[in-house]
Amino acid sequence: MTALDSRPTDAAIVPPRTGRRYNPDKRRSILLTVLLWLCVLYFVLPIWWLLVSSTKDNSTLFSTFGLWFGGDFSLFENLQTLFTVRDGIFVRWLVNTLVYSVSAALGATVLATMAGYAFAKYDFPGKKALFSATLGAVMIPLTALALPTYLLFSQAGLTDTPWAVIIPSLVSPFGVYLMRVYAADAIDDSLLEAARVDGAGEFRIFRQVGLRLLGPGLVTVFLFSLVATWNNYFLPLIMLNSSDLYPITVGLAQLQAAASAGGGSQALFSTVITGSFVSILPLVIAFLFLQRYWQSGLASGGVKG
Amino acid sequence: MTHAPALSGERTITPSPPRRTNLAKRKQRLAAYLFLLPFFVVFVAMLVVPLVYAGYLSLFESKLIGGEVFAGFANYARAITDPAFLGGLGRVALFFVVQVPIMLGLALFFALALDSARAHGSKAVRMLIYMPYAVPAVVATLMWGYLYGPDFGPIAQIARAVGFGTPDFLAPESILGAMMNIVTWEFVGYNMIIMYAALRSIPAELYEAAEIDGAGQFRLAWSVKIPAIRPAILLTVIFSVIGSFQLFAEPSLLNAIAPDAITNAFTPNYYAYNLAFINQELNYAAAIAFLLGIVIAVVSYVVQLGEQRRERREMRMS
């Protein structure tokens, strides 16, 4: 920190990182580059279309070329309509989505981390059976569960409440699997032994040693659960009745249904499109920022499969 | 953090060695169960109980007179002869057979291409291909629904400009393909990332050996990289089985713009939903959901079995 300190910093001592491994030749291929970027168009153009279309009003939407701007620039009018339609319910949907997915993802991450850590670092009777049950659960189809869960929740008076969306989303068998693989790799048994010799309790070891080493794994599980809940449509669709409680997916589907039904609400098309565009921004931004972390988290999960 | 500062007051008992290890073992075991407890409480409540309940429901029939009556396997008998259910099942099976190889093939190609680091801007390419995964199926379907539009959709606009006429993506014959495209668009990146992450963690020694043998890029990919990430590929196949057999958001939303092309039993999941929430046939819907679950489990199992067999065969050969 101090200017007087003239010793070379770590960065200067450590040689520049040469690729993690052997690289036959650094030649770049023009052909491959062109091919890949052409493919990228397929993935990007629909989103580009969404962006362009959210700047059009309802009539230019259908009268101009879809992949380029045309007519007046109506983005701000569209946003204004979007945020005021039905007394600003769109903001409500955004907030609902955020609340549901963040709380579900936090909960799922905590549960999966504790369970994965236990599977990776302890021996106990029943370990194999419990882990097999967890893995098997990855394959249970949503429908087989959604219907009876709905009935159970309605008997408990929990349908049409946020809990109906959050609680079922807390179970992430894939998260447990990922955390197990990640913890097995990232946490050295000798560290745990050392902490035990020092007299630390198991929970303290988990908090102070385990959690610190599980960073990328935590981010990966958190992101996957976040996306799963954020993008979920089926569960909130059957659980919720009041549109005040809808997440963005169900809300947009409802707006779209109203728009397709036609009638007087023609203007809704551009509202649906602008709403779709606004709704994907938060996740796309989150992905850009967090990509470094989840990738190393996934790296171990993918190989040991 | 490695040498925890004294941790004073944390207990200072030091009994005789053998008893201490026993005690320690028991303490660790207890800790393990406590760590697992929260997950398994929710697991049982949200997976096991509903599953058992669905099984129970599927054995009853709701009669106008007499209410709920035990029906044995009548609902299942009805399902396996129900053309609507079988049609939907056939559609998702076709979807699986056609779409999944295309999607995973593309994902593998991109993963290998990016891992070879031979293209400019690999990082941006990776991010952009992955981006659709952050788009909810609902938004993706709405968006493609507009893109497919015969009058104003840009695809039709371009096709007309080039002189190809107006393609109808939303006709009954083509809508399954249109849906395959939506799902491919959404999930190529997701699968690519799983494969790419696996490729990044292949130990360097494997490449050195291949280099000594003078293997080129393609040979390297085929004989070293793909076999090394087979577990990751298997994972993506299993996820795809589960995903395609459970299609719901796509048919239910496309139904609004192409009602003639999408029946209420277009996919089994959509059928079960319509039975339960529109027709109020809860018991029959539970049976359909249960059967679908069995089909998914069987297909996943067969996929895994095939993979294991292949591994054994290769072990024998080498």
Side-chain angles (χ1 to χ4, degrees):
Chain A
M1 278 301 133
T2 56
L4 292 172
D5 193 343
S6 59
R7 283 172 301 171
T9 59
D10 274 356
I13 301 171
V14 176
R17 287 211 354 233
T18 55
R20 112 207 105 97
R21 54 145 125 119
Y22 152 79
N23 210 339
D25 46 86
K26 286 262 183 223
R27 260 186 311 129
R28 304 276 165 138
S29 157
I30 302 291
L31 186 71
L32 190 66
T33 304
V34 172
L35 189 64
L36 276 183
W37 281 97
L38 280 178
C39 292
V40 164
L41 285 182
Y42 167 68
F43 295 97
V44 171
L45 278 182
I47 293 176
W48 170 252
W49 172 87
L50 196 61
L51 166 71
V52 167
S53 299
S54 61
T55 68
K56 294 177 182 174
D57 67 26
N58 223 30
S59 60
T60 40
L61 187 62
F62 294 111
S63 60
T64 54
F65 179 55
L67 296 178
W68 198 248
F69 302 93
D72 298 326
F73 189 83
S74 319
L75 177 63
F76 297 107
E77 286 91 326
N78 287 341
L79 285 174
Q80 203 182 6
T81 322
L82 177 68
F83 285 109
T84 50
V85 74
R86 288 168 51 189
D87 299 323
I89 200 161
F90 185 77
V91 181
R92 191 90 217 206
W93 292 341
L94 268 181
V95 173
N96 290 344
T97 308
L98 196 72
V99 170
Y100 300 160
S101 48
V102 170
S103 41
L106 276 178
T109 310
V110 170
L111 298 182
T113 306
M114 286 169 60
Y117 175 80
F119 278 129
K121 291 294 155 193
Y122 293 101
D123 259 323
F124 51 88
K127 178 168 160 172
K128 219 172 164 183
L130 286 177
F131 192 64
S132 310
T134 313
L135 274 191
V138 174
M139 278 174 231
I140 298 176
L142 260 177
T143 349
L145 292 174
L147 178 62
T149 312
Y150 166 78
L151 294 171
L152 292 171
F153 271 62
S154 88
Q155 275 158 26
L158 285 173
T159 42
D160 211 24
T161 67
W163 299 114
V165 180
I166 297 172
I167 298 175
S169 312
L170 290 176
V171 198
S172 168
F174 182 56
V176 174
Y177 163 78
L178 266 181
M179 278 324 286
R180 182 202 179 147
V181 176
Y182 195 80
D185 258 11
I187 304 173
D188 205 322
D189 282 329
S190 59
L191 269 180
L192 302 184
E193 280 310 320
R196 280 183 194 131
V197 170
D198 283 344
E202 297 299 325
F203 279 90
R204 184 165 180 159
I205 297 175
F206 171 66
R207 263 188 306 137
Q208 299 195 334
V209 182
L211 279 187
R212 286 182 202 189
L213 295 169
L214 290 175
L218 289 172
V219 177
T220 312
V221 174
F222 178 81
L223 261 189
F224 275 140
S225 320
L226 184 83
V227 175
T229 316
W230 189 289
N231 292 354
N232 201 344
Y233 173 62
F234 193 56
L235 187 70
L237 176 72
I238 62 173
M239 288 291 186
L240 305 174
N241 280 322
S242 10
S243 42
D244 271 355
L245 288 175
Y246 284 171
I248 205 91
T249 47
V250 181
L252 278 174
Q254 199 193 43
L255 268 190
Q256 162 75 6
S260 320
S265 49
Q266 264 293 308
L268 276 172
F269 278 117
S270 48
T271 314
V272 171
I273 288 173
T274 312
S276 302
F277 181 67
V278 172
S279 79
I280 66 170
L281 288 180
L283 267 197
V284 168
I285 292 169
F287 266 88
L288 290 172
F289 276 104
L290 291 170
Q291 57 156 326
R292 250 179 303 155
Y293 298 98
W294 47 254
Q295 217 161 60
S296 48
L298 251 188
S300 40
V303 194
K304 305 283 160 55
Chain B
M1 167 185 78
T2 25
H3 82 77
L7 293 173
S8 51
E10 265 282 304
R11 101 189 54 229
T12 39
I13 23 155
T14 35
S16 51
R19 268 193 62 208
R20 187 178 192 273
T21 38
N22 247 339
L23 189 73
K25 264 241 168 75
R26 229 178 311 145
K27 252 174 47 192
Q28 284 178 30
R29 218 171 255 178
L30 182 68
Y33 287 127
L34 287 177
F35 279 126
L36 290 175
L37 189 66
F39 175 77
F40 277 100
V41 166
V42 188
F43 182 88
V44 169
M46 289 298 111
L47 284 172
V48 180
V49 171
L51 205 62
V52 172
Y53 189 46
Y56 168 82
L57 278 178
S58 70
L59 299 177
F60 285 81
E61 231 171 328
S62 178
K63 291 263 162 70
L64 278 178
I65 305 156
E68 298 270 291
V69 194
F70 183 75
F73 289 100
N75 285 320
Y76 291 95
R78 179 180 161 195
I80 54 174
T81 52
D82 181 350
F85 172 60
L86 296 177
L89 207 56
R91 231 167 268 129
V92 287
L94 181 66
F95 190 98
F96 172 69
V97 172
V98 176
Q99 188 266 342
V100 171
I102 296 175
M103 172 178 71
L104 296 185
L106 278 173
L108 183 61
F109 165 73
F110 291 135
L112 287 168
L114 293 175
D115 183 64
S116 78
R118 294 184 125 237
H120 294 273
S122 297
K123 228 178 180 171
V125 170
R126 196 173 75 216
M127 208 55 230
L128 292 173
I129 294 177
Y130 188 45
M131 212 163 55
Y133 173 61
V135 176
V138 168
V139 174
T141 309
L142 289 180
M143 202 164 68
W144 279 99
Y146 285 105
L147 290 168
Y148 288 146
D151 304 315
F152 308 109
I155 307 176
Q157 285 173 339
I158 293 174
R160 268 197 302 269
V162 191
F164 276 127
T166 307
D168 190 0
F169 298 105
L170 300 172
E173 322 78 61
S174 49
I175 197 140
L176 191 65
M179 222 177 272
M180 288 180 186
N181 174 57
I182 300 177
V183 176
T184 305
W185 182 81
E186 280 180 272
F187 289 105
V188 163
Y190 171 76
N191 291 297
M192 172 196 75
I193 285 292
I194 293 181
M195 296 176 189
Y196 177 78
L199 283 171
R200 297 310 281 175
S201 43
I202 296 175
E205 300 88 68
L206 274 180
Y207 295 114
E208 277 148 23
E211 184 213 14
I212 293 167
D213 293 344
Q217 284 289 320
F218 285 100
R219 194 63 220 268
L220 190 67
W222 188 253
S223 316
V224 180
K225 291 185 177 183
I226 294 179
I229 62 161
R230 217 181 260 154
I233 298 176
L234 182 67
L235 196 71
T236 61
V237 177
I238 302 275
F239 281 160
S240 308
V241 174
I242 301 161
S244 15
F245 278 86
Q246 294 193 70
L247 280 174
F248 176 78
E250 292 81 1
S252 81
L253 285 158
L254 286 177
N255 184 40
I257 53 172
D260 302 333
I262 305 267
T263 61
N264 75 335
F266 195 80
T267 66
N269 212 350
Y270 188 51
Y271 189 37
Y273 169 81
N274 282 326
L275 284 173
F277 294 96
I278 314 263
N279 300 12
Q280 305 290 336
E281 289 191 72
L282 289 179
N283 305 96
Y284 188 42
I288 294 273
F290 228 78
L291 274 179
L292 179 63
I294 293 170
V295 170
I296 293 176
V298 168
V299 175
S300 307
Y301 185 68
V302 168
V303 167
Q304 265 167 313
L305 210 65
E307 169 68 16
Q308 273 164 14
R309 217 184 256 157
R310 200 188 151 125
E311 246 167 44
R312 270 204 301 276
R313 204 174 52 225
E314 267 160 34
M315 293 256 280
R316 266 206 306 276
M317 272 169 25
S318 60

